[in-house]
Amino acid sequence: MIEQFQPGEAAMGTRFSGGDHLSANDGLKYYIHKTMMLNELSGGAGAYQMSNAVLGASGPSFGPIQYDLGSNERGQALFVAIAGSATSGKGERFISDAELKEIKDNFFQPFKDMSKAQRARYEELKPKMDLALGSEEGVRQINADYDKVLDEKVKYVNGVVAGVTNPENRQYLQGDMKAQAQIADIKNQYGSAVNDALKDFLNQSAKDDGVQIPKGGDLVKVKGTFDNEDIQAFRMGTAYGKDHPQDAQRREANIDQVTKGAVMGAAKKVDESTLLLQPESQKVVQDCQQHVRTFVDRHQLGWDQGMDNTVWSVAQQAREQGMTGITHFNSVGGQIRFAQLDGGLLRQGEMDARLAANTDVGESMTRLVQQDQLRSQEATAINNHCAKPMDVAVPAR
């Protein structure tokens, strides 16, 4: 069953479900998905229907990445496949062969190039197009295509980062989730000319002369040590960023929101003592990270320092109670409840949500390290005791 939006959101259509199987454990793939849900769709609405991008020169669009039927061959092929196979409960196609030919001949172009008669006919056929896209077959094909698209985007970003020859910049990009999500988002929004310029820019330093963005963009230069602010300056320096600065800033803000709390980004901020954690403690931290991220996404909350604090505070409490992982997590009435079901053994714990959010990451981490060190010392003492030869009294003769 496909989940529907609540009243007031229903006009946007069925919620996109193609990324529901992803979590923070999927790394960049997950964060690209979350970015596209905000930057390309209205929080995941509108994928299974036709839409008209307000800005730019596009044609009718659909899908989670808004395939433009006016120019995108992949989107055109996917729509044709859906239109040719999507049927109603009675087994009747929503779009006939004659209507499909009419769509291909008249609507596979930008709206600005359509005549009034073509626009009017588009409005007449749009309900049928929406029915096909929103059908069980349409949803299946769009979701299957989307998973492949995400894999391709991850591969693209990895290739771009690996191709950066400036060692300092490459190291920064490899360790920053927001930077990688920005590369993917710019790739999604612009053509090859702008993205080739971005590749050149990623190799720049403050001593270099900068890169001229094509298609009416600015000459952009790195300021100080290369970081996300430079990538943002590149985005704002494109022709689109100059003409539509508010929308460019919206995309940037969405990426910042989505990637806050990403394991890669958080790892740069925490103390090096993280490396001293035992594997069991590292597993608990990873589980907490995933559960808190899922909770934040489910309730459409923003990620802030309090969320980072909560991850580490709950992890510390869980380890203190002997847990080596967290299988269940929830927060109700100001109390966080967590548990590990390991075979037939259930370990449970709870703590005040406000306390968790206000306990500094460093404090929780220090306690985790100390707990691990104590366990290690106890284990060593036990092993030494077991290995020590026992003094046996020999009876006198």
Side-chain angles (χ1 to χ4, degrees), residues 192-212:
S192 59
V194 171
N195 280 282
D196 286 344
L198 175 62
K199 293 176 186 177
D200 292 338
F201 184 68
L202 297 178
N203 280 295
Q204 294 274 304
S205 66
K207 64 182 181 181
D208 293 318
D209 296 330
V211 170
Q212 177 66 52

Side-chain angles (χ1 to χ4, degrees), residues 147-158:
D147 201 63
K148 296 177 183 177
V149 168
L150 288 179
D151 288 336
E152 292 168 4
K153 289 184 177 296
V154 170
K155 183 178 180 180
Y156 170 81
V157 173
N158 289 339

Side-chain angles (χ1 to χ4, degrees), residues 260-274:
K260 275 186 178 179
V263 173
M264 184 186 298
K268 294 177 60 184
K269 301 176 183 179
V270 300
D271 193 90
E272 291 182 358
S273 56
T274 307

Side-chain angles (χ1 to χ4, degrees), residues 278 370-382 384:
Q278 294 178 349
Q370 291 173 345
Q371 290 170 3
D372 281 355
Q373 290 174 341
L374 180 60
R375 291 189 189 94
S376 180
Q377 292 169 2
E378 291 174 346
T380 300
I382 292 173
N384 290 340

Side-chain angles (χ1 to χ4, degrees), residues 130-145:
D130 289 346
L131 285 172
L133 293 173
S135 68
E136 183 176 346
E137 178 62 17
V139 170
R140 185 192 68 78
Q141 291 197 38
I142 290 173
N143 287 2
D145 175 79

Side-chain angles (χ1 to χ4, degrees), residues 149-330:
V149 168
L150 288 179
D151 288 336
E152 292 168 4
K153 289 184 177 296
V154 170
K155 183 178 180 180
Y156 170 81
V157 173
N158 289 339
V160 170
V161 173
V164 174
T165 56
N166 182 313
E168 290 80 12
N169 291 9
R170 183 174 63 250
Q171 183 177 10
Y172 175 81
L173 294 170
Q174 289 172 336
D176 194 279
M177 189 69 77
K178 179 181 177 181
Q180 295 188 21
Q182 286 208 85
I183 294 172
D185 189 61
I186 291 173
K187 169 64 174 175
N188 193 51
Q189 190 179 12
Y190 299 98
S192 59
V194 171
N195 280 282
D196 286 344
L198 175 62
K199 293 176 186 177
D200 292 338
F201 184 68
L202 297 178
N203 280 295
Q204 294 274 304
S205 66
K207 64 182 181 181
D208 293 318
D209 296 330
V211 170
Q212 177 66 52
I213 303 177
K215 308 287 186 179
D218 290 339
L219 174 69
V220 289
K221 298 181 179 181
V222 171
K223 295 182 179 180
T225 302
F226 180 87
D227 58 17
N228 270 305
E229 291 186 4
D230 295 300
I231 303 178
Q232 182 179 1
F234 181 94
R235 181 194 293 275
M236 300 305 298
T238 63
Y240 184 88
K242 293 161 60 180
D243 294 340
H244 307 287
Q246 290 184 335
D247 190 61
Q249 290 167 355
R250 174 190 68 86
R251 299 179 76 98
E252 177 76 20
N254 285 339
I255 295 174
D256 185 62
Q257 173 189 337
V258 163
T259 56
K260 275 186 178 179
V263 173
M264 184 186 298
K268 294 177 60 184
K269 301 176 183 179
V270 300
D271 193 90
E272 291 182 358
S273 56
T274 307
L275 301 176
L276 301 176
L277 293 179
Q278 294 178 349
E280 294 84 357
S281 293
Q282 294 179 16
K283 175 65 164 56
V284 170
V285 172
Q286 291 171 359
D287 287 349
C288 279
Q289 177 76 39
Q290 180 178 350
H291 285 302
V292 174
R293 168 59 68 178
T294 299
F295 181 86
V296 166
D297 290 345
R298 183 188 306 130
H299 296 279
Q300 298 183 342
L301 305 173
W303 190 283
D304 55 19
Q305 185 59 47
M307 299 302 176
D308 282 327
N309 291 345
T310 298
V311 168
W312 286 91
S313 186
V314 172
Q316 186 269 321
Q317 286 288 319
R319 283 296 285 146
E320 191 172 89
Q321 297 180 40
M323 299 183 195
T324 57
I326 296 180
T327 56
H328 298 76
F329 178 96
N330 199 9

